[in-house]
Amino acid sequence: MTVTQGQPLTAAITDILVTHCGLDPEVAARAPAASLEELGLDSLALLELSAVVADRYRVQIPEQAAQLSIPAVADLVAHSTDGPTTAHAVPTQQRGERPGHTENSIVIAAPLPLVWEITNDVANWTELFTEYAVVEILQRDGDTVRFRLTMHPDENGISWSWVSERTADPATREVHAHRVETGPFEYMRIHWRYTEEPAGTRMAWTQDFSMKPTAPVDNAGMTDRINANSAVQLAVIKERIERRVQTGELTVTGGDDE
């Protein structure tokens, strides 16, 4: 099925560039005929554009997209069919590459109900993690929450953003989450587990994923990145919860909802 042409698609591509790739909307408005390169978008931003467009429209943006204007990109998407326009989107298994898998955990000196309550309060993740600048709750349905995460700007000034969904099970003290907007990933699934130990609560993260062929890193490279970042974020979460418990700032309220 061909995507409808016209202004709505141009607006959609602009929104992707602003939300996911760090484009300044005022710059885009002042120069509608400028190429993506002239608008200041680098190779990482173009990879993110390609990943989001592939997710939404099943169209692969060519490497030469840096020379295209936003309307030209919209026109390219509008005239492309469901299949990739520039092939090579071969699944991980067909490439002979092992899927990514990481397991990381930490023991937090606090009761399990308290750790569960704090870490499942998604709306306040900016106070728990150091990497997130904004959390926007998009939808709640019982123990399932869909939300948008926006990170602090990276070294290139780009604030990466994506939509995820997670379902918490208070009975088993487990959470299953996945990226809805997968970006550079073919898929990303995260399993959170909470268990009581003599020293407190062990919180464990298991992540299973695969990178797209167009991603700037492969599965092995992303595995290293996730392992390194998970260790940092788990340590931060442990320190922040334990400090607030010690000062008496945190007490169990008895609620398990996110």
Side-chain angles (χ1 to χ4, degrees):
M1 181 178 179
T2 302
V3 181
T4 303
Q5 304 183 52
Q7 181 60 30
L9 185 54
T10 299
I13 297 299
T14 302
D15 181 67
I16 291 171
L17 290 167
V18 170
T19 303
H20 297 272
C21 307
L23 175 64
D24 185 332
E26 294 184 1
V27 172
R30 288 198 301 267
S35 69
L36 300 185
E37 184 176 58
E38 291 169 337
L39 291 174
L41 298 172
D42 61 13
S43 58
L44 286 176
L46 294 177
L47 283 172
E48 185 69 9
L49 169 65
S50 178
V52 176
V53 167
D55 279 345
R56 293 188 185 180
Y57 305 111
R58 287 191 280 180
V59 171
Q60 189 71 34
I61 299 296
E63 294 180 2
Q64 297 82 0
Q67 306 306 317
L68 300 178
S69 65
I70 294 176
V73 172
D75 189 62
L76 171 68
V77 173
H79 286 87
S80 300
T81 59
D82 281 352
T85 59
T86 57
H88 318 310
V90 182
T92 293
Q93 290 81 356
Q94 294 183 27
R95 299 198 302 267
E97 185 180 357
R98 296 180 61 182
H101 176 83
T102 65
E103 295 186 21
N104 294 275
S105 69
I106 201 164
V107 175
I108 301 171
L112 191 153
L114 183 59
V115 175
W116 172 270
E117 180 181 333
I118 296 168
T119 58
N120 283 292
D121 183 9
V122 178
N124 286 314
W125 272 8
T126 53
E127 304 298 321
L128 194 63
F129 294 80
T130 61
E131 56 189 341
Y132 302 137
V134 180
V135 179
E136 179 186 2
I137 303 300
L138 304 176
Q139 181 181 352
R140 288 186 184 272
D141 183 7
D143 291 316
T144 298
V145 58
R146 179 170 290 201
F147 53 99
R148 175 174 294 282
L149 290 173
T150 301
M151 302 184 75
H152 291 288
D154 63 14
E155 62 275 10
N156 297 311
I158 297 174
S159 297
W160 301 103
S161 178
W162 66 90
V163 173
S164 289
E165 184 174 283
R166 54 191 274 117
T167 300
D169 186 342
T172 62
R173 301 297 192 183
E174 295 187 7
V175 180
H176 290 276
H178 68 279
R179 282 199 182 198
V180 177
E181 294 179 353
T182 56
F185 296 91
E186 289 179 347
Y187 62 88
M188 164 58 84
R189 296 188 289 268
I190 310 174
H191 182 197
W192 297 49
R193 301 185 309 280
Y194 301 76
T195 54
E196 290 182 322
E197 294 196 0
T201 302
R202 180 174 295 278
M203 182 173 67
W205 297 341
T206 299
Q207 301 187 57
D208 291 288
F209 60 91
S210 179
M211 307 306 296
K212 292 177 178 175
T214 53
V217 295
D218 59 13
N219 290 346
M222 183 56 71
T223 296
D224 291 340
R225 290 190 182 190
I226 290 176
N227 278 328
N229 187 61
S230 293
V232 171
Q233 295 305 316
L234 284 168
V236 168
I237 292 171
K238 171 184 172 70
E239 189 276 331
R240 290 182 172 180
I241 292 178
E242 290 181 350
R243 184 180 68 246
R244 294 171 69 187
V245 168
Q246 291 167 3
T247 61
E249 180 182 349
L250 291 177
T251 57
V252 181
T253 62
D256 286 329
D257 293 338
E258 293 187 343

